[in-house]
Amino acid sequence: MSYPSFEEILDLQYKLADYRKQYWIEHDLFTWQWWLLLLVFIIPWIIWYKVIPKDKKAEVLSYGLSLGLLTSQLD
């Protein structure tokens, strides 16, 4: 049994990466699910920016950062 060389394996990996990228561009990019995920990611930041008092922004950000760090450490 002959095993492929390292260069052949790398060549196949590059081809597979190209095929995955092409599939993503043709089938996943700019679908309604893609737009929904983008909106779900952006809209909370816009709402947060509109709702938060401007003079308390640093306090809220530092509290959120410390809470996020704490929860990531406890996870």
Side-chain angles (χ1 to χ4, degrees):
M1 178 173 194
S2 173
Y3 293 106
S5 68
F6 184 70
E7 289 79 21
E8 291 173 337
I9 293 172
L10 282 179
D11 185 45
L12 288 174
Q13 284 180 338
Y14 290 137
K15 285 181 184 178
L16 181 60
D18 288 338
Y19 290 146
R20 284 181 182 158
K21 180 181 173 186
Q22 190 67 26
Y23 179 85
W24 180 72
I25 289 172
E26 291 177 2
H27 297 285
D28 292 336
L29 187 62
F30 301 127
T31 61
W32 68 270
Q33 293 99 337
W34 186 86
W35 287 108
L36 180 67
L37 286 172
L38 185 66
L39 289 175
V40 166
F41 179 71
I42 292 175
I43 288 179
W45 288 101
I46 295 171
I47 292 171
W48 177 82
Y49 184 76
K50 297 286 184 182
V51 170
I52 196 73
K54 304 299 182 222
D55 56 337
K56 304 259 185 201
K57 193 177 291 188
E59 294 172 12
V60 171
L61 282 173
S62 62
Y63 177 75
L65 179 63
S66 63
L67 191 63
L69 289 172
L70 178 68
T71 56
S72 69
Q73 290 299 317
L74 292 176
D75 188 25

